[in-house]
């Protein structure tokens, strides 16, 4: 079955299937990496030594709906550090601050997010260790990695450029200032946020599980604060990334779903093209006794084979594309700059299964009509698509053009719905109107000889019989074709006589009381030629 299916395949339609699955595999795998990274909570990067993190709630609950995540940092009172330190089982507790800070001259720490790159010296106990030097004490002293002790570096911290002297080298990302200088640069000395910190990082006592300590903290603090352990510490450390996780799930999922739908339409069109080119072979299979299911299986083998060849290169392209999408999501704040994506085999396996399923359904839909078609009808030429289908497709394409111009008129976020819907309508409209448009374009650009195509039924047995009567001995007097013509004539005579006798009100000429043509015209020329041993009759 497989060898026969591949021998009957037409390369044009299978190339369409290969290219469509290749592009769909790349997009679905890339979006799958995004979704997989969104489901797998990011591990704590900077506060890796903290067992429990206490922070303010970063979401607003809504009745009968999902809570709204807030990307802005909600601070907690600095006095909360002392309250937490008094809970039994707490070995150490520090208040962590994060504010914008970056090195201007390229020296020093790299890999930290400039939006929250500055921290107080006390935060180093939860994120790393000091390698050399002494802790910064003055306002113009700093500790970082990748520099030299005593080096002067230009830094922008809290929107203020300045020159700082390196007093310590650390093995953690970020820029560490003296605690007093960090509070001033973060704006926590005056105003509404005076005396606050971003979160409280806690280290549990030896022998105490973080989950047990988190339960004690919840009993002491109540429902006012979020207590995070394990992988959920990353959400407390970076509320912007936690808020963008919804976008990380919805946006790639939407792109992947649209890609699957487009691949389905394109594959169905490519297989339809291949089926039209091997129409006679499929009809001969039906005439030889093949069932409709077997005919559909022949087409399915062709489509799945072409799709299978595109899976491996499509998956490799998808992982490469995922890295580029990750950079885009980092630029919009949906993904942390210091957190890599999760590259696993699950996105590629899921994309392969989904695309093979789409190809299987598309091949079934494309071959359904030809598999159910009678043998005689299948020999005739295909009928053009109906005008209702073509007009519906043209209307959908026109509607997509109107929706695509919505951003030119509507200057709000709702305008983004127009182009997204327009893409779907355009794909569906092109699938409906495409066959007639292709026929019209092909007829316009085809040569004069191609326009005189055979009419439906030209190759039926009766047509072959008429042509045999006009051409003696078949074509070119071939004895074998003359034998086949005679066989077709003998086979079709009983059917012709039966149909002529079955017509109401008509009887054969020459019967008493019967109506018909005149006796001299009752016999057909073909019959007279047969009686006289005319052409088309095999010679004995």
């Amino acid at each position: 079955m497989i060898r026969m299916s591949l021998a009957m395949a037409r390369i044009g339609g299978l190339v369409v299937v290969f290219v469509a699955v290749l592009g769909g595999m790349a997009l679905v795998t890339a979006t799958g990496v995004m979704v997989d990274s969104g489901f797998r909570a990011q591990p704590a990067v900077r506060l890796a030594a903290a067992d429990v993190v206490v922070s303010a709630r970063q979401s607003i609950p809504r009745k009968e709906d999902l809570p709204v995540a807030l990307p802005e940092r909600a601070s907690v009172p600095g006095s909360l550090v002392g309250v937490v330190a008094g809970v039994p089982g707490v070995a150490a507790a520090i208040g962590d601050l994060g504010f914008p800070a970056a090195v201007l001259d390229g020296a020093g720490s790299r890999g930290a997010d400039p939006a929250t790159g500055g921290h107080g010296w006390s935060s180093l106990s939860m994120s790393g260790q000091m390698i050399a030097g002494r802790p910064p004490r003055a306002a113009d002293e700093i500790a970082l990695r990748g520099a030299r002790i005593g080096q002067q570096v230009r830094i922008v911290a809290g929107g203020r450029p300045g020159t700082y002297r390196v007093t310590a080298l650390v093995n953690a990302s970020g820029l560490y200032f003296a605690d007093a200088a960090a509070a001033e640069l973060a704006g926590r000395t005056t105003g509404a946020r005076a005396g606050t910190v971003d979160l409280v990082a806690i280290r549990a006592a030896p022998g105490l599980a973080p989950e047990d300590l988190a339960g004690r903290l919840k009993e002491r603090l109540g429902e006012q604060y979020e207590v995070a352990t394990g992988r959920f510490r990353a959400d407390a450390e970076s509320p912007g990334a936690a808020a963008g996780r919804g976008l990380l799930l919805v946006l790639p999922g939407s792109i992947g779903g649209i890609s699957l739908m487009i691949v389905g339409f394109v594959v169905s069109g490519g297989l339809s093209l291949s089926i039209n080119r091997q129409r006679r072979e499929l009809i001969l299979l039906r005439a030889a006794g093949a069932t409709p299911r077997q005919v559909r299986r022949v087409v399915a083998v062709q489509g799945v084979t072409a799709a299978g060849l595109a899976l491996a290169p499509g998956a490799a392209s998808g992982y490469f594309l995922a890295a580029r999408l990750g950079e885009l999501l980092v630029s919009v704040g949906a993904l942390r700059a210091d957190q890599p994506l999760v590259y696993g085999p699950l996105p590629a396996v899921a994309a392969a299964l989904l695309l093979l399923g789409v190809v299987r359904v598309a091949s079934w839909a494309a071959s359904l009509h030809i598999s159910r078609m009678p043998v005689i009808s299948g020999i005739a030429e295909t009928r053009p698509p109906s005008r209702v289908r073509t007009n519906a497709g043209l209307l959908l394409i026109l509607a997509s053009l109107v929706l695509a111009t919505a951003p030119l008129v509507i200057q709000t976020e709702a305008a983004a719905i127009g182009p997204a819907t327009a893409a779907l309508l355009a794909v569906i409209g092109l699938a409906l109107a495409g066959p007639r448009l292709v026929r019209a374009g092909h007829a316009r650009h085809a040569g004069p000889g191609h326009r005189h195509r055979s009419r439906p039924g030209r190759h039926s047995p009766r047509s072959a019989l008429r042509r045999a009567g006009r051409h003696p001995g078949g074509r070119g007097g071939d004895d074998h074709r003359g034998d086949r013509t005679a066989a077709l004539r003998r086979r079709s005579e009983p059917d012709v006589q039966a149909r002529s006798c079955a017509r109401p009100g008509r009887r054969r000429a020459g019967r008493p009381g019967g109506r018909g043509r005149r006796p001299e015209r009752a016999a057909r020329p073909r019959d007279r030629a047969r009686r006289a041993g005319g052409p088309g009759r095999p010679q004995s």
Side-chain angles (χ1 to χ4, degrees):
M1 174 68 74
I2 297 177
R3 183 176 300 177
M4 181 188 66
S5 301
L6 297 181
M8 295 172 54
R10 297 297 184 268
I11 190 64
L14 298 188
V15 168
V16 174
V17 176
F18 177 85
V19 175
V21 175
L22 179 65
M25 186 69 182
L27 285 175
V28 176
T29 302
T31 54
V33 171
M34 300 289 109
V35 174
D36 190 24
S37 301
F39 275 116
R40 299 189 190 185
Q42 302 164 350
V45 175
R46 187 173 57 86
L47 300 175
D51 297 317
V52 184
V53 174
V54 178
S55 61
R57 290 191 174 275
Q58 293 291 149
S59 61
I60 300 177
R62 291 190 298 178
K63 190 175 182 180
E64 297 181 357
D65 202 349
L66 296 176
V68 179
L70 301 177
E72 296 83 6
R73 166 68 68 183
S75 58
V76 298
S79 59
L80 184 63
V81 178
V83 175
V84 169
V87 176
V90 175
I94 57 101
D96 180 70
L97 285 175
F99 53 91
V103 179
L104 292 179
D105 54 9
S109 179
R110 290 178 174 84
D113 186 5
T116 58
H119 309 282
W121 176 255
S122 59
S123 299
L124 183 64
S125 61
M126 298 293 179
S127 58
Q129 296 177 349
M130 182 177 64
I131 299 175
R134 62 171 180 81
R137 301 187 182 94
D140 60 347
E141 295 179 348
I142 193 172
L144 70 164
R145 67 179 180 182
R148 301 187 310 272
I149 300 295
Q151 181 182 356
Q152 300 288 331
V153 294
R154 289 188 53 80
I155 293 176
V156 174
R160 308 173 192 175
T163 302
Y164 293 82
R165 185 168 61 91
V166 179
T167 62
L169 299 180
V170 298
N171 60 356
S173 62
L175 306 176
Y176 294 88
F177 301 81
D179 289 334
E184 182 180 358
L185 292 173
R188 305 300 175 91
T189 57
T190 59
R193 306 184 70 184
T196 61
V197 294
D198 292 341
L199 53 86
V200 179
I202 307 164
R203 182 184 294 117
L208 181 62
E211 290 75 13
D212 297 336
L213 180 58
R216 297 178 185 180
L217 291 172
K218 289 180 181 179
E219 293 178 0
R220 180 67 179 272
L221 302 177
E223 300 294 332
Q224 186 178 358
Y225 300 102
E226 292 282 352
V227 180
T229 60
R231 56 179 185 161
F232 298 103
R233 293 172 295 172
D235 294 343
E237 181 181 340
S238 180
R245 183 165 298 146
L247 178 64
L248 196 64
L249 297 176
V250 174
L251 181 60
S254 176
I255 295 175
I258 295 176
S259 301
L260 287 175
M261 188 184 68
I262 294 177
V263 168
F265 279 113
V266 176
V267 168
S268 179
L271 289 177
S272 298
L273 176 64
S274 179
I275 290 172
N276 287 334
R277 291 185 175 181
Q278 55 182 327
R279 180 187 185 89
R280 299 296 172 86
E281 289 86 344
L282 296 175
I283 291 300
L284 287 177
L285 285 179
R286 290 293 314 279
T291 63
R293 184 176 182 180
Q294 290 174 332
V295 174
R296 292 193 294 268
R297 189 178 301 170
V298 169
V299 179
V301 168
Q302 298 174 2
V304 172
T305 302
L309 296 176
L311 293 181
S317 303
Y319 284 112
F320 174 79
L321 183 60
R324 308 287 80 80
L325 289 177
E327 296 175 358
L328 178 62
L329 292 175
V330 168
S331 64
V332 299
L335 192 67
R336 297 178 58 163
D338 54 357
Q339 180 66 40
L341 295 175
V342 179
Y343 294 95
L346 182 60
V349 174
L353 294 177
L354 288 174
L355 285 170
L356 288 178
V358 169
V359 172
R360 186 66 182 88
V361 173
S363 64
W364 176 84
S367 61
L368 184 62
H369 179 67
I370 191 68
S371 64
R372 294 181 175 179
M373 183 180 296
V375 176
I376 299 300
S377 301
I379 296 177
E381 297 291 337
T382 57
R383 295 179 300 173
S386 64
R387 292 187 177 274
V388 176
R389 170 180 173 174
T390 304
N391 294 336
L394 294 176
L395 289 177
L396 290 178
I397 294 176
L398 181 61
S400 67
L401 295 177
V402 174
L403 291 176
T405 59
L408 301 178
V409 182
I410 304 175
Q411 304 297 328
T412 60
E413 295 181 355
I417 302 176
T421 308
L424 299 178
L425 293 180
V427 170
I428 298 174
L430 188 60
L432 294 177
R436 183 175 284 273
L437 295 179
V438 171
R439 281 174 175 265
H442 188 268
R444 179 179 295 272
H445 297 286
H450 185 76
R451 297 181 183 179
H452 300 286
R453 301 179 61 183
S454 59
R455 298 183 301 274
R458 179 178 176 85
H459 301 285
S460 62
R462 182 177 294 181
S463 299
L465 185 61
R466 294 194 187 100
R467 290 196 301 274
R470 291 194 299 267
H471 302 283
R475 292 188 178 182
D478 192 351
D479 294 339
H480 297 287
R481 294 187 180 182
D483 294 342
R484 286 189 296 176
T485 303
L488 288 173
R489 180 181 297 156
R490 290 193 300 269
R491 188 177 302 175
S492 60
E493 279 182 356
D495 297 336
V496 174
Q497 294 176 2
R499 283 194 296 269
S500 62
C501 294
R503 294 176 183 174
R506 298 186 62 180
R507 299 181 182 178
R508 296 187 61 181
R511 287 187 177 183
R515 294 183 303 168
R517 292 173 294 185
R518 289 179 297 178
E520 61 274 17
R521 296 184 180 179
R524 298 181 180 180
R526 184 177 58 191
D527 299 331
R528 292 198 300 268
R530 186 170 64 251
R531 296 192 190 98
R537 187 172 183 177
Q539 302 298 328
S540 58

